[in-house]
DNA sequence: CCGCGACCTGTCAACCTGGACATGTCCGAC
DNA sequence: GTCGGACATGTCCAGGTTGACAGGTCGCGG
């Protein structure tokens, strides 16, 4: 049940409504929804309700259009910390892209090459996009201030794409293709 | 519905029983179950049944203890290829470990440091393990033969761990810059 | 020959998930 | 002033997923 902890983590940045949280999960903007977890509002609203019942969050303030802003309670903060620091023996991973990578070798070499080339291109494009976003963040960031929230996650995405890109090129070489670019 | 495609991909390596496939998903041995997808036998058996109904697989042979070995049909192979080469607009990712990384900055600096140190250590250990396995594979592998099945996946795991390890160290440095430790 | 552990297949209930359905409100542009 | 689009919350259902329950077979060491 990690949705609960994802919500706790997002609320640790500050109060937010179900709508705000939904957007955080939905974005393909290098946020949590692209790399770590997804959830639709139809899961988020009931979960927020349950979390409120459990005393992990409270309705902080209400705004226009029935907006309910949720904030972490001390109990919620404790639970988040407990979950973050407790290293589980076995974590669940479910990643369609990685699944494809595992199965590359079930394809004919020509098909495998085409797939890998697609992956390499895609990574290069995402890398460029992400890098420009991060450069902007760094430019605005006073080095004496703490690292902005999400900067570490952004760096993670960057290194991730670099790794996959490098892997795709390496694999193409192994398969005996002419490496593009 | 990626379980179906995961099964098709595994069967592309050769016929297997539901039991074999269950072990492939369950292993924490650097296989598909560790990085890409998980499934219990309670999902696998019904799905194999449905896939047989759909003509994607057939019961290849029956063995002792009611063992049923499944093999891909041409139709199954076609469907696998279709899925592998079709780049979806938005893929689902659900990764508890990455989720933790996204939420590192919700922790107090001391806790964050402890978590990152744990991650770095864990990666280093996994890297060492994986590297020794892969060296063995490479030593037994005739360079004139095609790349062994799983070699590309293994390389992926390697680069993955390297990337995460590097990221954890980088993050520790960043956190160290703001709070003296 | 007997028992234990690995092999092997299955079902079921409870829960999670994603997409459709439903409803209504605020705000700025025209 | 009114209209369209973003804001905002919620329910429902079909289908996916998990973990428990269930039952049975082979092979080998003692």
């Amino acid at each position: 049940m990690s949705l609960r902890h994802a919500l706790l983590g997002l609320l640790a940045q500050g109060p937010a409504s179900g709508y705000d949280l939904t957007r955080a999960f939905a974005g393909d903007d290098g946020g949590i929804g692209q790399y770590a977890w997804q959830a639709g509002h139809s899961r988020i609203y009931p979960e927020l309700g349950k979390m409120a019942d459990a005393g992990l969050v409270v309705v902080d303030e209400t705004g226009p259009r029935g907006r309910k802003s949720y904030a972490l309670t001390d109990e919620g903060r404790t639970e988040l910390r407990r979950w973050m620091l407790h290293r589980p023996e076995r974590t669940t991973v479910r990643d369609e892209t990685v699944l494809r990578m595992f199965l590359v070798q079930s394809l004919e070499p020509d098909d495998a090459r085409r797939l890998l080339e697609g992956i390499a291109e895609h990574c290069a494009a995402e890398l460029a996009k992400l890098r420009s976003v991060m450069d902007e963040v760094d430019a605005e960031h006073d080095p004496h201030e703490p690292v902005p929230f999400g900067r570490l996650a952004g760096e993670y995405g960057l290194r991730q794409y670099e790794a996959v890109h490098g892997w795709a090129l390496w694999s193409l070489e192994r398969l005996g293709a002419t490496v593009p670019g």
Side-chain angles (χ1 to χ4, degrees), chain A residues 15-20 23 59 61-70:
Chain A
S17 69
Y19 190 77
D20 295 335
R23 276 187 311 181
V59 176
E61 60 172 26
T62 55
R65 281 170 280 210
R67 177 190 173 92
K68 280 186 275 184
S69 177
Y70 288 88

Side-chain angles (χ1 to χ4, degrees), chain A residues 22-40:
Chain A
T22 301
R23 276 187 311 181
F25 280 116
D28 50 344
D29 54 352
I32 209 170
Q34 196 175 356
Y35 303 119
W37 212 266
Q38 289 101 49

Side-chain angles (χ1 to χ4, degrees), chain A residues 87-115:
Chain A
R87 173 119 47 89
E89 205 44 49
R90 203 181 153 67
T91 61
T92 67
V93 180
R94 194 156 289 180
D95 189 324
E96 269 186 28
T97 308
V98 177
L99 182 54
R100 275 189 179 75
M101 292 179 191
F102 263 79
L103 302 181
V104 160
Q105 282 178 86
S106 68
L107 292 173
E108 300 292 317
D110 273 358
D111 286 339
R113 223 166 280 143
R114 210 180 319 162
L115 178 57

